[in-house]
Amino acid sequence: MKLYYKPGACSLASHIALNEAGASFEIEKTDTKTKKTESGEDFLNISPNGYVPALKLDSGDILNEGPAILQFIADTNKAAKLAPDNGTVERARVNAYLNFVGSELHKAFTPFFASPAPEGAARETHEANVAKRFDYIESVLADGRAHLTGDQFTIADAYLFVVANWTNFVNIDLAKWPKTAAFVARVAERPAVKKALAAEGLLAKAA
């Protein structure tokens, strides 16, 4: 398999999940502005929407959209226990957190990566949107659980770690949410996470 990624982007979650699963795969850096991969491929032929991640399977099939790729990795590597079985309430909860991170938290960060970046009142508005989402995550972790759904690390945790770690790049102090900050620090110590961060040249940027 080959994972097309952009350093530190949401594709990092898929990279982490593949490492957690012990899967055999390659990675290829992608420039989402020029739509070219590191080897010179036209990325629009791989991902029609032009964004990462994209996962090329051994069969030649290509999967797009991070949450779908994360679930595929979990479902094809069940021994890694990255998600409960489909059709269970426990799986629905993991999917709910995947959806929240993708549609709410990830989306709230998007304006900070625009050019030019928001300033003044506009930035304050976007910071408030991010804060509202972190308030929810903080409430989930308030009971002392290690991960979103309990003791077991799942694909939802991989995705949350990546998006929460963006606070390092946009100058938002995650210390305002101590349970969430502790979660990020804890997940950053996982060998699979360290391996992915190092491969993407991001180890120094981890929380």
Side-chain angles (χ1 to χ4, degrees), residues 14-186:
S14 296
H15 195 169
I16 290 168
L18 286 165
N19 283 345
E20 291 279 354
S24 176
F25 66 100
E26 301 173 353
I27 58 174
E28 183 160 350
K29 187 187 296 186
T30 300
D31 188 327
T32 53
K33 291 183 179 179
T34 64
K35 311 303 179 187
K36 292 289 185 181
T37 73
E38 199 165 33
S39 66
E41 291 182 82
D42 183 349
F43 188 54
L44 291 176
N45 290 332
I46 299 162
S47 175
N49 289 317
Y51 52 70
V52 293
L55 183 65
K56 186 174 184 179
L57 307 182
D58 293 339
S59 63
D61 290 318
I62 296 173
L63 298 178
N64 300 114
E65 302 298 334
I69 291 171
L70 287 168
Q71 291 184 73
F72 176 82
I73 294 168
D75 290 336
T76 53
N77 296 275
K78 289 187 178 297
K81 298 181 179 180
L82 292 171
D85 289 339
N86 277 306
T88 62
V89 171
E90 291 77 14
R91 178 56 174 268
R93 290 195 177 106
V94 168
N95 290 348
Y97 287 124
L98 273 179
N99 287 342
F100 177 82
V101 175
S103 64
E104 296 290 334
L105 188 60
H106 184 158
K107 185 178 179 180
F109 269 96
T110 301
F112 292 97
F113 297 106
S115 183
E119 297 179 348
R123 179 180 171 90
E124 290 177 3
T125 296
H126 296 311
E127 284 184 350
N129 287 335
V130 168
K132 181 179 179 181
R133 276 70 184 182
F134 276 134
D135 286 345
Y136 170 67
I137 295 297
E138 190 76 2
S139 72
V140 171
L141 299 173
D143 61 4
R145 66 183 67 184
H147 304 104
L148 285 170
T149 55
D151 292 333
Q152 182 65 40
F153 177 87
T154 72
I155 49 177
D157 298 300
Y159 196 5
L160 173 58
F161 167 79
V162 170
V163 178
N165 199 53
W166 290 345
T167 55
N168 288 305
F169 299 90
V170 300
N171 197 28
I172 292 176
D173 188 359
L174 198 58
K176 299 171 187 175
W177 302 277
K179 295 290 187 181
T180 306
F183 164 88
V184 172
R186 188 163 53 248

